[in-house]
């Protein structure tokens, strides 16, 4: 029997195929027996937010605003008569203070002295004529009675029309004297009230005509500041607005003036839709620091006490008008409008907010309603910071 040997190349090929198959079987077995990967549960850490723990309380309303100081009265002083200015008060100049009744100007009064003397003479003549006519009228009545006539005498016979004319001439002459005295008095121009000269346009030598504008005066006994109030603001005033405490402050907050409410307007301005409150300051120029007309001041008015309010930091109210708070570790937000503000605090009504409020100190734009958070108080935040340091 003859055994036929296989070719060498064929043997190598068969061995290679057998080795490849064994490798595949080993790899498959290794994959099947590979240990499974260990599973870990992913944990999510809730972000920490700093909160203020607040409860509602009663607070006194504070109404703040700004206004310009004005005078209660402003007057354009004018001449009543004509004449040349012969004297001027040295204090009668721009920016100077004058007192009521103080003489500001004197006009040449020669013609007015003459006119008064002539009027007085005419009055004396009219009085003499009146007395004479009274005597003649009385005498005419006696003569008629002595005549024994039974008919009724006429008014002309009894000189009644002549007497009425004499009396009318006397009244006219008396009025002329009064007019002449007034004209003479107007040669001295006097200050009508305590005030400040805001402008003067006359000097010695000027010739005035009736109605000539001499100066502009501003009353100085009282200054006024007007502030427009919204409906929610004026409703915070006391029932009697005059009892409200009012303070004015300079722009740099370094000077303060006490003031009082003078009047609350009974109508809303058709242009601003606000109700005007008039505030007054008595003797503004006699204060330690004078309150000058034209000053721009801050106004602080104490209103009525209001209950069930939260006092929150100004930064806690977002630009969109929301406050954020934490309830059951979830973020909530609520639209709130401050009723009033004071010392960088806003006062908002509680409404439907919890009685114990965990207010977010500084809300972020990334906050979403019902986001899970970890609230910490401001004291806890400070303590953590100190420990880390």
């Amino acid at each position: 029997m003859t055994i036929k040997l296989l070719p060498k190349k064929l043997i190598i090929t068969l061995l290679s195929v057998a080795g490849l198959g064994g490798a595949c079987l080993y790899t498959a077995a290794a994959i099947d027996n590979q240990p499974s990967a260990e599973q870990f549960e992913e944990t999510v850490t809730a972000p920490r937010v700093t909160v203020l723990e607040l409860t509602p309380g009663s607070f006194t309303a504070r109404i703040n605003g700004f206004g310009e100081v004005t005078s209660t009265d402003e007057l354009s002083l004018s001449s009543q008569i004509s004449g040349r200015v012969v004297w001027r008060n040295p204090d009668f100049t721009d920016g100077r203070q004058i007192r009521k009744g103080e003489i500001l100007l004197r006009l040449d009064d020669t013609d007015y002295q003459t006119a008064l003397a002539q009027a007085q003479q005419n009055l004396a003549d009219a009085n003499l004529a009146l007395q004479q006519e009274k005597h003649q009228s009385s005498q005419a009545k006696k003569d008629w009675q002595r005549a024994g006539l039974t008919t009724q005498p006429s008014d002309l016979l009894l000189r009644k029309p002549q007497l009425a004319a004499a009396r009318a001439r006397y009244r006219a002459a008396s009025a002329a004297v009064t007019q002449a005295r007034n004209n003479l008095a107007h040669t001295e121009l006097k200050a009508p009230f305590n005030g400040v000269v805001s402008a003067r346009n006359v000097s010695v030598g000027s010739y005035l005509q009736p109605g000539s504008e001499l100066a502009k005066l501003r009353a100085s006994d009282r200054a006024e500041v007007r502030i427009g109030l919204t409906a929610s603001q004026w409703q915070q005033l006391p029932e009697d607005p005059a009892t409200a405490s009012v303070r004015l402050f300079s722009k740099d907050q370094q000077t303060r003036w006490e003031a009082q409410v003078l009047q609350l307007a009974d109508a809303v301005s058709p242009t601003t839709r606000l109700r005007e409150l008039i505030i007054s300051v008595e003797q503004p120029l006699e204060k330690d620091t004078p309150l000058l007309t034209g000053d721009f001041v801050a106004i602080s008015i104490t209103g009525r006490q209001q209950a069930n309010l939260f006092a929150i930091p100004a930064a806690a109210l977002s630009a969109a008008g929301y406050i954020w708070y934490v309830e059951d570790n979830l973020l909530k937000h609520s639209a709130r409008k401050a009723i009033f503000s004071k010392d960088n605090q806003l006062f908002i009504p509680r409404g439907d907010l919890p009685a114990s409020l965990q207010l977010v100190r500084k809300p972020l734009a990334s906050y979403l309603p019902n986001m899970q958070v970890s609230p910490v108080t401001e004291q806890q935040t400070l303590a953590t910071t100190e420990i880390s340091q």
Side-chain angles (χ1 to χ4, degrees):
M1 180 177 180
T2 304
I3 299 174
K4 196 172 183 178
L5 297 177
L6 295 174
K8 185 178 180 179
K9 289 183 179 180
L10 179 58
I11 294 172
I12 293 172
T13 301
L14 292 173
L15 291 173
S16 299
V17 171
L20 180 61
C24 290
L25 291 173
Y26 176 80
T27 302
I31 292 174
D32 290 340
N33 296 323
Q34 184 179 4
S36 60
E38 186 175 358
Q39 300 293 324
F40 294 95
E41 185 178 351
E42 184 179 358
T43 59
V44 178
T45 303
R48 298 173 64 184
V49 294
T50 302
V51 298
L52 298 175
E53 295 183 345
L54 304 177
T55 56
S58 296
F59 301 93
T60 301
R62 177 71 63 178
I63 304 165
N64 299 314
F66 298 90
E68 182 182 359
V69 181
T70 61
S71 174
T72 55
D73 294 292
E74 295 191 11
L75 173 69
S76 292
L77 189 64
S78 59
S79 175
Q80 300 280 331
I81 59 174
S82 60
R84 191 171 303 280
V85 178
V86 295
W87 178 84
R88 178 179 67 83
N89 189 326
D91 288 333
F92 186 38
T93 188
D94 293 2
R96 297 293 292 273
Q97 190 173 2
I98 55 175
R99 310 304 299 178
K100 180 179 180 180
E102 189 174 0
I103 298 175
L104 306 178
L105 295 174
R106 283 196 181 99
L107 306 183
D108 183 3
D109 64 355
T110 304
D111 291 344
Y112 297 100
Q113 292 281 11
T114 302
L116 176 58
Q118 183 64 52
Q120 289 173 333
Q121 179 184 343
N122 293 339
L123 178 60
D125 291 342
N127 184 50
L128 175 60
L130 176 59
Q131 299 305 321
Q132 290 175 341
E133 191 57 48
K134 285 181 177 179
H135 176 73
Q136 291 179 6
S137 177
S138 177
Q139 188 62 44
K141 185 176 181 179
K142 290 178 181 179
D143 291 345
W144 177 262
Q145 291 174 345
R146 282 197 298 266
L149 299 176
T150 58
T151 59
Q152 185 67 24
S154 65
D155 289 345
L156 186 61
L157 182 63
L158 296 178
R159 303 188 63 84
K160 288 184 179 180
Q162 295 88 327
L163 181 59
R167 284 175 173 155
R169 285 191 293 271
Y170 176 82
R171 287 193 297 269
S174 179
V177 169
T178 301
Q179 181 64 44
R181 284 200 178 109
N182 287 339
N183 289 341
L184 181 60
H186 287 146
T187 60
E188 290 185 341
L189 280 80
K190 299 179 180 180
F193 46 67
N194 297 333
V196 174
V197 180
S198 58
R200 177 182 61 82
N201 50 16
V202 65
S203 59
V204 174
S206 299
Y207 189 85
L208 307 182
Q209 296 288 350
S212 298
E213 186 175 297
L214 311 178
K216 292 185 181 295
L217 306 180
R218 290 175 178 166
S220 61
D221 283 344
R222 189 175 68 201
E224 289 183 354
V225 182
R226 296 169 183 260
I227 178 176
L229 303 180
T230 63
S232 62
Q233 285 179 319
W234 64 257
Q235 288 171 3
Q236 296 168 29
L237 292 171
E239 292 186 10
D240 182 4
T243 63
S245 173
V246 184
R247 290 178 178 175
L248 309 180
F249 297 88
S250 59
K251 289 185 290 186
D252 58 8
Q253 298 290 314
Q254 298 301 311
T255 307
R256 183 182 73 186
W257 299 274
E258 299 295 329
Q260 54 271 344
V261 173
L262 183 64
Q263 180 183 351
L264 178 63
D266 292 330
V268 173
S269 168
T271 54
T272 64
R273 311 310 303 171
L274 301 176
R275 191 174 181 184
E276 197 170 64
L277 183 72
I278 304 175
I279 299 165
S280 70
V281 178
E282 299 296 326
Q283 304 301 328
L285 299 181
E286 297 180 9
K287 306 297 182 184
D288 293 338
T289 300
L291 179 62
L292 304 178
T293 300
D295 275 349
F296 197 69
V297 294
I299 307 165
S300 179
I301 307 170
T302 300
R304 66 179 67 187
Q305 191 175 61
Q306 299 192 40
N308 218 22
L309 301 180
F310 282 113
I312 68 172
L317 186 67
S318 70
Y322 289 93
I323 63 166
W324 289 82
Y325 62 97
V326 178
E327 190 174 38
D328 297 329
N329 292 338
L330 297 178
L331 276 178
K332 306 287 184 180
H333 73 312
S334 179
R336 282 295 182 271
K337 187 176 181 180
I339 298 178
F340 60 92
S341 63
K342 179 182 178 182
D343 299 332
N344 205 32
Q345 283 187 313
L346 304 178
F347 295 84
I348 62 172
R350 176 192 167 191
D352 57 357
L353 294 173
S356 181
L357 183 68
Q358 287 189 316
L359 178 74
V360 177
R361 180 72 172 78
K362 293 181 179 179
L364 302 178
S366 59
Y367 285 169
L368 295 173
N370 295 319
M371 176 189 293
Q372 189 166 11
V373 294
S374 177
V376 293
T377 64
E378 200 164 30
Q379 291 78 7
Q380 291 173 327
T381 303
L382 292 174
T384 304
T385 303
E386 290 174 357
I387 292 171
S388 64
Q389 290 177 346

